[in-house]
Amino acid sequence: MVAAVEDQQNGSDIIAPARSDWTRAEAEALYELPFSDLMYQAQSIHRENFDPNHIEAASLLSIKTGGCPEDCGYFSQSAHYDTGVKATRLMHPDVVVAAARRAKDAGSTRFCMAAAWRSPKDRDLDQVCEMVSAVKDLGMETCVTLGMVTSTQAARLAGAGLDFYNHNIDTSPEFYSKIVTTRTLQDRIHTLASVREAGIKVCCGGIIGMGERVEDRLGMLVLLANLPSHPESVPINLWNEVSGVPVNDTAERPDPIALVRLVATARIMMPKSVVRMSAGRQHMTDELQALCFLAGANSIFIGDVLLTTKNPQRDRDAKLLVRLGIKSNLS
Ligand code: SAM
Ligand code: DTB
């Protein structure tokens, strides 16, 4: 067993420096610890870095839906597949700001605006910058996901006051090309570097439940944890079913305990990152969510829909957080 992991398993001496030199073997050794040891370490590291009784509530809005030219085998908005999702134009900034205000009133502190683009056109970016500034003026943190951006575009978003850019690596380097065929993992990493260079915080994670192996899930965590800086936000999405896309043929709902192990491993490998239980929570029991929070997840999306798929009802989330004594802006 890897020495650092062995030290941690032996008990009290928890080490939590932010490292960027994780090996797959170390990630696997953590993941395979006896459940109780893994949870103890994850919870200890979580407490060193965060209030364990607080969860961030974020909201999502699809500001431009459907017709995406990219071929991502999981995506309801890809123009390559007939999923029944209707394509729309970019929303007017006033409509976006009204939605952000409702999200804030419902308890969200972060507002994420998503557009189904391969990359934004400059004239679209003007409108997105206007949205970012206006949402920021409401006192919310802002996040956008617009596909690939150049350094110049990232600098413009930073100038508008953007806090976070969401751009996921989605899965392991080995599994990536089985899911996404129109852009490489290197393209993704290039955009992440442009966003960083502009001084915007990075939101980067992936999906589980597409038919990948546990090794792929851990490979994804190793790639995230070995980026030049850890992403400030790490969304973990459980694949939400979409009919008409290829992932339907390979998808397999992960064992709930395997999900908790993955969250705990992410918490240990990226001690200061906010780990979000992103898509797929409507398939999770309250007990499973509670275990994920105990393992170190500390962010959720609230609201009845994500982009095109369902999310738990706000009331169910509010009740669960109250039952767990977790503070958020929901109740
Ligand atoms: N065009 C943007 C881009 O290139 O990043 C946005 C893509 S999508 C809205 C953002 C992320 O949501 C994806 O990278 C994927 O991780 C997640 N996602 C998309 N569809 C999903 C689904 N059906 N279930 C779970 N996660 C999903
Ligand atoms: C992320 O990692 N998850 C969010 C956000 N980034 C943009 C998107 C989830 C989408 C779930 C599928 C849908 O509703 O269409």
Side-chain angles (χ1 to χ4, degrees), residues 68 70 72 74-77 114-118 145-148 165-170 183 188 205-208 235 237-242 279-280 307-309:
C68 186
E70 297 278 17
C72 302
Y74 52 77
F75 203 36
S76 65
Q77 300 187 56
W117 289 321
R118 174 172 166 83
T145 177
L146 314 172
M148 294 185 273
Y165 196 87
N166 170 239
H167 201 66
N168 291 344
I169 54 164
D170 282 337
R183 59 176 186 232
R188 300 300 273 181
I207 313 187
I208 69 169
N237 297 279
L238 276 189
W239 189 61
N240 254 355
E241 305 84 357
V242 171
L307 298 175
T308 63
T309 63

Side-chain angles (χ1 to χ4, degrees), residues 226-242:
N226 289 349
L227 287 170
S229 308
H230 293 175
E232 282 80 2
S233 281
V234 177
I236 297 184
N237 297 279
L238 276 189
W239 189 61
N240 254 355
E241 305 84 357
V242 171

